[in-house]
Amino acid sequence: RTFSRTLFTFTKKKKKKKNNRRKKGTGPSIPQTDPPSIPVCDMWPSGVFPVGEEQPYAHDFNVWRTTNEELREAERLIKDVYQDVRQAAEVHRQVRQHMRKKMVPGVKLFDMCEELESFSRKLIKENGMQAGIAFPTGCSLNHVAAHYTPNKGDDTVLQYDDVMKIDFGTQINGRIIDSAFTVAFNPRYDPLLEASKEATNAGIKEAGIDVRLCDVGAAIQEVMESYEVELDGKTYQVKSVRNLTGHSIAPYQIHAGKSVPIVRGGEATKMEEGEFFAIETFGSTGKGFIREDMECSHYMKDFHVGHVPLRLPRAKHLLGVIDRNFGTLAFCRRFLDRLGETKYLMALKNLCDQGVIIPYPPLCDVKGSYVAQFEHTLVLRPTCKEILSRGDDY
């Protein structure tokens, strides 16, 4: 089962500086407060939000797209979709910028996630299914690669020697931003973080219209596995976690059918114009292979499930709560607690057993290993690719 989530030494040459970093565009009408409290839509009342990083397509067969007038017009016709997802991206940037200051040794992970989600809700001006959180805040530690968020009663505290993956999402009208970064305090982990960050950038660079997914995976693995990290006198080659992947994204559907491998040898399916992708990489000092383990916190309604007759009244009630509040977006137990639901574990298990809800337990490499992750959401526009979630931080 494949789970979608989830340095070369060169002679130093003076490189021409590429001018493809994030476009600043028009600045906000009003500045953000500290701590942030102004919804992003109020900061840009025109409804025109900052553009992500625009990169030209790297392959010769796409060069003509950059200046084609017909394609530029096609982009103008769907600009509303771009504004929705750019607004979600700006919320993601502002929330993570503020929360980084709170991610310090000694912080309780439960409190940190609650605070991060509170800022997300405020800045996106949460409004039912139209605007809000796209999935629970992942804060997986060390050998846990993904899908961990604290349940009620989990008192885990962040330690100096931890490697924490922060993976959270925002959405406007179902257009999802899925972006992640890794936090580590001990500089010994720097090469591990660098490996995942640069591998993600290599995947982004390779991505494009009509590019095969297997070629993106090969580019990622080549960069990832050129790094080594020394821990306690032992040197580890950083491995790409071979059964974790990036994924295509559709409205209200975080994993939309295409998987972007992070090792070579994947499928030859091609990326297509207009598609949204989460390019994410996981670098590990362990086996580079994950399995499900530990208590489950993440759940999501099966996107394709039809009507399933339910006998348990509590299960019917819980499904109603899930449909109204999350639809087909992922949720966690903390979200149900926040809505005032109690004693729902039997009902939740019943919905999982019936195949209506899919549980997503934490994904773990071997104990004692460390996993780093970086992830960006991009869109393959007709004329260029736009890395929507790019910020000054990563």
Side-chain angles (χ1 to χ4, degrees), residues 38 43 60 64 130 133 140 274 283 305 310 347 354 370-371 388:
I38 302 166
M43 295 174 67
D60 291 345
W64 63 279
Q130 274 72 57
I133 289 171
S140 308
V305 81
L310 298 168
Q354 297 290 328
Y370 296 92
V371 181
L388 294 151

Side-chain angles (χ1 to χ4, degrees), residues 93-145:
R93 276 190 289 273
Q94 291 195 18
V95 169
R96 73 194 193 221
Q97 183 189 359
H98 176 72
M99 284 304 298
R100 265 185 188 271
K101 301 175 237 173
K102 308 289 184 86
M103 294 169 187
V104 292
V107 73
K108 195 171 155 187
L109 296 185
F110 186 96
D111 298 340
M112 181 195 73
C113 290
E114 291 277 295
E115 189 174 2
L116 187 149
E117 286 155 3
S118 168
F119 282 117
S120 286
R121 292 186 175 102
K122 204 177 287 179
L123 297 199
I124 208 147
K125 211 171 191 174
E126 190 180 41
N127 175 26
M129 297 294 293
Q130 274 72 57
I133 289 171
F135 53 84
T137 304
C139 56
S140 308
L141 297 179
N142 305 328
H143 73 289
V144 184

Side-chain angles (χ1 to χ4, degrees), residues 7-8 194-204 206 213-228 237-246 260-266 279-284 287-289:
L7 189 64
F8 296 110
E194 180 85 0
S196 178
K197 187 190 274 190
E198 289 311 314
T200 298
N201 285 332
I204 288 167
E206 182 67 22
L213 294 169
C214 56
D215 293 338
V216 180
I220 287 169
Q221 186 174 18
E222 186 175 2
V223 171
M224 183 78 83
E225 302 197 345
S226 65
Y227 281 83
E228 291 179 336
Q237 182 187 21
V238 179
K239 293 176 183 157
S240 273
V241 178
R242 63 184 180 273
N243 59 337
L244 279 173
T245 68
V260 186
I262 61 174
V263 290
R264 61 183 68 86
I279 305 290
E280 60 183 316
T281 70
F282 296 83
S284 175
K287 286 188 172 170
F289 186 87

